[in-house]
Amino acid sequence: CLHPQVLHPWRSRGKGLIRVKRDWIIPPIRVSENSKQIPEDLVQIKSDKIFTGEVIYKLEGQGVDQEPKNLFEIDDKTGVIRSKQPLDREKYSNFTLKAFALSPSGERLENPTTIEILVLDQNDNRPVFPHSPFVGTVSEFSVPGTSVMTVTATDVDDPMTENAVLSYSIIDQESIPPNAITKIMFGINNKTGAIYTRDVGLDREVVKEFRLKLQVADMGGMGLTSEGVAIIHVSDINNHAPQFSPDSYNMTAVENRNDYELGRVNVTDRDDTGTKNWKARYFISNDYRGNFAVHTDPITNQGVLTVVKPLDYEAQSEYRLLLSVENLNPPSSKASRLTLSSATVTVIVVNENEAPRFREEPIQIEVLESVKPGTLLKNNIAFDPDNSDLRYEISRDPESWLDINRDTGDITAKRKFNMRSPHVKNSIYTAAVKVIDAGGVSATATVAITLKETNDFPPQVFPLTGFVCRGGSRSRKGLLLTAVDEDLPPQAAPFLFQIPDDLSANWTITQVNDTHAMLQPLVDLEFRDYAVMVQVSDSGSPALSAEAQVNVTVCLCDSFRDCKSEAGAILGSSVGINFIALIIIAASTALLLLLLLLAVAVTACGRRHHIKKGTGLLIGESEDDIRDNVFNYDEQGGGEEDENAFNIDLLWNPHDAPPTPGSFYPGSGIPPRGKQPLRKDAPHNLPSPTYPRRPPADPTDIEDYINDGLEAADHDPNVPPYDTALIYDYEGDGSLAGSLSSIASGSSDGDQDYDYLNDWGPRFKKLANMYDPR
């Protein structure tokens, strides 16, 4: 205990109250915590005065009128400061107070004085571990001195005193499983709390963890104590290799299947389950074709064997696989030399009926379009893995161009191919074949036939009529010609145009480009029609050529390069025909037409026939057989539009197809007998396809015969369209058959005998009654 002291912090000098400089500083007052002498006088303060008077003392600050309150007080008359409650250093280690000297009226006699109180520590708190248990890890087979972990404790006593100086110790050791190891395996630094290994023999397979009981004491180990727990896990190292159990397996596989589980193999490993020291990785050392694969089940650590490529029983019916295994982590350097384990897996392949297989898919064939029927296109197209008999058939052939041998599968050409077929795309014709084995299992493959163009058709000159302007610049004097070829490149253009040497005296032809040439006269020609033979050749191999007669009209042209009227051309010519000659020609033409009309009238009058009595109107006879004057027609129809056939212009209209050579009489514009009108939906003067001439001897080929005829007609450019005007052949003159109209006009009823109508049966009875003489 501290004895109270009398302090004189204030002094007075002279008369009255004078403030003077302080002579000394009041030292801190030391008070022990947990004191039992309550109240306890701590110190007394006093003010020195030069006059006699009453002084009142006051105290302020922490512990008085500030939190924590009511710990200290002062006697206002004597100035004694005392403690009212025991102090706790762990809560408040010091206090700062201010003392005042006041007059009875409350006037400050002196400046306030600061008083500092220090609380002295006592060893009243035990050291404690902040958390328990402590958890650490150490690898198995660690050498002595290996650091494991550090434990710490705290003491709230004054760290500057012996009350907070701590000391650590291990007072007990327990192994899990119990009593597996009895020797002391760990030590602890008593000052730092660091735990370390102190002996050899840590084996995770023997002891998985240790439980240590710890103690900490203050005052250097001689004071208050507390206990704690430290748990130390023994961590695994890869000191064990996985081992197959068992080391041989038998499995069964189905051929022609893949991506399925074949079976599983097992391994054991004494290392820690679930770690990379325990997890296995499998290998197949003799699967050279890569038919199998093995992977690890992450849960069971088993090796899962799978088939990744289809197996073929006929090629190999049994496999012997050699498997090896290792851990994901390499073996630890602390472990002894480990031996790798291996296992043998025998795989038996089960046979099943396999589908036939094509040797290629699609089946590629390349052939000339002009291939002859019966030509072999492809053979040996499929095989059966089970070596069973196969049956072949065509499953799709839209043009019926192919045939296949039912037993051998040889594909042959049934008909001639046609590049212009709508089923030929980009020169490729697509069909399909099907093969079936003895067990009924089938397979289908596409047949892709690449057709190569052949030079089958010669080019045709176009147009075959036109005009050439006389006079003007030479560049405008010519007829532009081209050619039409039914073949496709490279069997068509470029074309070569020529005039035969013996016919090129007055005309020449100049090549413009690959497809056009200019026909031009070499000299100034008279105004009339000219027939020029032109030869055109294609670029095929071998090249084909054709000659055609081009009818050219030489005429005067207007400023638009169009031919003037025929009269204008004649008047403007240099021949010198005068106007009177023109009138004579016109009159002669009119006279000829009049004579023609008279001849027709006389002919019509001579066609009447006399009906013999008793023979009847409907069974009249003539002196000549009427069948002698009947012509066979290829076309029927006509009507008002028949006269269109007589208006064909000699000059070619660029918007229409030109007339076929030989289809008109030169200079007349009238088609000959039996000739059809020109088509305007097809190139002019193309050759007609070959029509079938003889019906087949075999009735089963009638369908092909009809189809061939339809196809030829569809592609014939010389056949008129369906809605064209049709032309009748000329019947001839003087037919004795007469006209049916003679029933009413050729004779009178009095000259007829209708009795024979009664003999014709009931169907003609009504007609007989109409002509009954009664």
Side-chain angles (χ1 to χ4, degrees):
C1 296
L2 296 178
H3 296 285
Q5 305 179 42
V6 179
L7 303 179
H8 299 272
W10 301 288
R11 290 190 177 184
S12 60
R13 184 173 298 174
K15 295 181 179 180
L17 298 177
I18 303 174
R19 178 179 173 183
V20 296
K21 183 178 180 181
R22 224 173 262 178
D23 293 335
W24 61 80
I25 298 176
I26 299 176
I29 300 172
R30 301 179 182 274
V31 181
S32 178
E33 67 173 337
N34 303 319
S35 176
K36 297 181 180 179
Q37 298 179 4
I38 300 300
E40 179 182 5
D41 294 341
L42 302 179
V43 68
Q44 181 181 9
I45 59 174
K46 190 169 184 174
S47 176
D48 295 335
K49 300 292 183 178
I50 60 172
F51 61 89
T52 301
E54 185 178 0
V55 178
I56 300 175
Y57 297 98
K58 295 293 184 180
L59 192 62
E60 294 179 356
Q62 187 181 21
V64 180
D65 56 355
Q66 299 177 14
E67 293 295 338
K69 298 180 180 179
N70 300 320
L71 293 181
F72 303 99
E73 65 179 1
I74 189 171
D75 190 317
D76 58 355
K77 295 185 181 299
T78 62
V80 175
I81 300 175
R82 59 177 65 92
S83 61
K84 298 172 62 178
Q85 299 179 26
L87 302 179
D88 188 352
R89 192 205 67 84
E90 285 69 42
K91 293 183 178 181
Y92 300 98
S93 60
N94 60 80
F95 299 89
T96 300
L97 307 177
K98 288 186 179 182
F100 299 88
L102 305 175
S103 67
S105 61
E107 180 183 1
R108 284 188 182 184
L109 301 178
E110 304 288 349
N111 289 331
T113 299
T114 300
I115 298 176
E116 185 175 2
I117 299 176
L118 299 180
V119 182
L120 300 179
D121 182 51
Q122 290 185 343
N123 192 17
D124 57 346
N125 292 283
R126 292 178 179 275
V128 295
F129 291 104
H131 60 273
S132 183
F134 295 92
V135 179
T137 303
V138 63
S139 298
E140 60 179 336
F141 297 104
S142 295
V143 296
T146 302
S147 177
V148 179
M149 62 178 174
T150 299
V151 298
T152 58
T154 60
D155 195 327
V156 297
D157 287 328
D158 190 355
M160 305 303 295
T161 65
E162 288 290 326
N163 298 332
V165 176
L166 306 181
S167 178
Y168 300 92
S169 60
I170 298 174
I171 59 177
D172 190 25
Q173 172 184 294
E174 180 183 353
S175 63
I176 299 174
N179 302 320
I181 293 181
T182 57
K183 59 183 177 179
I184 304 301
M185 298 299 300
F186 301 96
I188 189 170
N189 187 307
N190 63 344
K191 293 183 179 180
T192 62
I195 299 177
Y196 56 90
T197 58
R198 57 177 296 177
D199 208 337
V200 297
L202 290 176
D203 189 349
R204 194 203 62 83
E205 285 70 41
V206 177
V207 178
K208 292 182 171 47
E209 67 179 49
F210 291 88
R211 185 181 182 88
L212 305 180
K213 183 183 289 186
L214 307 176
Q215 178 178 281
V216 60
D218 58 15
M219 299 189 70
M222 304 302 293
L224 303 177
T225 63
S226 293
E227 293 182 356
V229 176
I231 297 176
I232 301 176
H233 297 287
V234 181
S235 63
D236 183 56
I237 63 173
N238 191 13
N239 61 324
H240 297 284
Q243 301 294 319
F244 282 101
S245 178
D247 58 1
S248 63
Y249 300 85
N250 292 316
M251 300 180 183
T252 302
V254 180
E255 68 170 338
N256 302 319
R257 290 180 55 192
N258 60 335
D259 297 330
Y260 68 96
E261 181 177 323
L262 188 61
R264 297 190 172 209
V265 295
N266 300 312
V267 294
T268 59
D269 195 323
R270 296 179 59 192
D271 290 318
D272 193 7
T273 303
T275 65
K276 291 185 177 181
N277 298 328
W278 170 82
K279 289 185 177 180
R281 179 165 51 197
Y282 299 86
F283 303 92
I284 304 176
S285 58
N286 62 339
D287 181 23
Y288 305 111
R289 296 181 180 177
N291 294 324
F292 304 91
V294 61
H295 66 274
T296 305
D297 187 320
I299 305 300
T300 63
N301 212 31
Q302 293 175 311
V304 182
L305 191 63
T306 58
V307 178
V308 295
K309 289 184 179 180
L311 304 178
D312 187 356
Y313 173 84
E314 288 71 25
Q316 187 171 349
S317 61
E318 181 177 315
Y319 295 84
R320 292 181 63 85
L321 304 178
L322 183 61
L323 272 62
S324 59
V325 63
E326 65 180 20
N327 292 125
L328 295 183
N329 279 345
S332 173
S333 59
K334 299 178 183 179
S336 58
R337 187 177 182 84
L338 302 181
T339 302
L340 295 180
S341 178
S342 61
T344 301
V345 179
T346 302
V347 180
I348 305 299
V349 183
V350 178
N351 187 28
E352 66 175 7
N353 186 17
E354 304 176 56
R357 301 177 187 175
F358 288 93
R359 300 189 185 277
E360 61 176 342
E361 169 64 26
I363 301 173
Q364 300 287 346
I365 298 176
E366 186 174 307
V367 65
L368 295 175
E369 64 166 335
S370 58
V371 64
K372 294 182 179 180
T375 301
L376 177 64
L377 303 180
K378 196 79 172 183
N379 63 351
N380 193 22
I381 62 174
F383 68 95
D384 187 74
D386 299 318
N387 299 318
S388 66
D389 295 332
L390 299 179
R391 185 174 73 256
Y392 299 86
E393 62 185 40
I394 299 290
S395 60
R396 182 169 58 86
D397 184 10
E399 291 286 359
S400 299
W401 285 346
L402 303 177
D403 200 358
I404 192 169
N405 188 292
R406 178 183 176 89
D407 298 322
T408 64
D410 293 346
I411 300 176
T412 57
K414 183 178 181 181
R415 301 170 55 200
K416 183 179 179 181
F417 296 153
N418 182 10
M419 293 275 294
R420 264 60 65 183
S421 169
H423 297 98
V424 176
K425 307 295 183 182
N426 297 324
S427 302
I428 296 178
Y429 176 72
T430 303
V433 296
K434 185 177 182 181
V435 58
I436 308 170
D437 66 7
V441 182
S442 64
T444 303
T446 300
V447 180
I449 303 177
T450 302
L451 299 179
K452 299 178 66 176
E453 180 79 17
T454 57
N455 200 11
D456 302 317
F457 302 96
Q460 302 296 323
V461 176
F462 178 82
L464 295 178
T465 61
F467 64 89
V468 172
C469 295
R470 177 178 173 183
S473 63
R474 181 174 178 81
S475 61
R476 301 181 59 186
K477 293 166 46 177
L479 176 61
L480 185 64
L481 300 179
T482 185
V484 177
D485 196 329
E486 290 191 44
D487 293 315
L488 299 177
Q491 308 296 342
F495 300 115
L496 176 62
F497 296 86
Q498 291 177 322
I499 296 178
D501 294 338
D502 56 343
L503 301 176
S504 61
N506 296 328
W507 296 86
T508 184
I509 192 165
T510 305
Q511 198 83 22
V512 176
N513 52 32
D514 290 344
T515 57
H516 291 76
M518 183 69 72
L519 179 63
Q520 294 175 310
L522 293 174
V523 297
D524 288 337
L525 302 176
E526 296 181 357
F527 296 123
R528 64 182 181 88
D529 296 335
Y530 294 88
V532 182
M533 296 300 297
V534 177
Q535 183 185 61
V536 60
S537 303
D538 59 22
S539 297
S541 178
L544 296 181
S545 62
E547 290 186 358
Q549 176 180 302
V550 179
N551 298 297
V552 184
T553 299
V554 177
C555 63
L556 280 179
C557 295
D558 54 20
S559 59
F560 299 100
R561 202 175 177 271
D562 292 330
C563 268
K564 298 180 181 180
S565 64
E566 185 175 349
I570 295 176
L571 292 175
S573 67
S574 60
V575 178
I577 300 178
N578 55 25
F579 182 76
I580 296 176
L582 181 62
I583 295 299
I584 295 174
I585 294 174
S588 300
T589 303
L591 180 60
L592 290 175
L593 290 175
L594 180 59
L595 293 175
L596 179 62
L597 291 175
L598 291 174
V600 172
V602 172
T603 304
C605 293
R607 288 184 179 178
R608 292 187 176 181
H609 299 77
H610 298 284
I611 308 301
K612 295 181 180 180
K613 186 174 182 64
T615 60
L617 284 172
L618 301 179
I619 54 174
E621 297 180 356
S622 63
E623 297 177 358
D624 298 327
D625 192 348
I626 190 172
R627 290 173 296 178
D628 294 338
N629 297 316
V630 177
F631 291 85
N632 291 326
Y633 300 122
D634 291 332
E635 301 176 6
Q636 297 179 358
E640 294 179 357
E641 294 181 357
D642 284 352
E643 62 186 9
N644 293 340
F646 295 91
N647 296 329
I648 298 176
D649 198 346
L650 285 175
L651 298 180
W652 171 64
N653 186 344
H655 299 288
D656 296 332
T660 305
S663 64
F664 58 87
Y665 295 124
S668 67
I670 301 176
R673 289 180 296 126
K675 295 299 181 178
Q676 61 197 25
L678 297 177
R679 289 184 62 170
K680 298 185 179 182
D681 61 340
H684 175 63
N685 201 33
L686 295 181
S688 296
T690 302
Y691 285 82
R693 293 300 180 186
R694 254 180 221 184
D698 188 355
T700 59
D701 293 335
I702 291 180
E703 180 181 0
D704 291 340
Y705 174 79
I706 296 174
N707 289 334
D708 291 342
L710 289 175
E711 180 179 354
D714 289 341
H715 293 82
D716 192 347
N718 300 314
V719 173
Y722 295 121
D723 58 347
T724 187
L726 302 179
I727 306 305
Y728 290 94
D729 274 11
Y730 178 64
E731 295 184 357
D733 296 334
S735 175
L736 299 178
S739 173
L740 291 178
S741 62
S742 62
I743 293 177
S745 60
S747 62
S748 65
D749 293 342
D751 298 331
Q752 307 295 329
D753 184 4
Y754 302 100
D755 293 339
Y756 63 88
L757 294 175
N758 295 318
D759 299 331
W760 283 12
R763 295 187 179 182
F764 291 88
K765 184 176 182 180
K766 188 172 184 67
L767 183 61
N769 293 335
M770 294 174 60
Y771 291 91
D772 190 347
R774 294 174 298 180

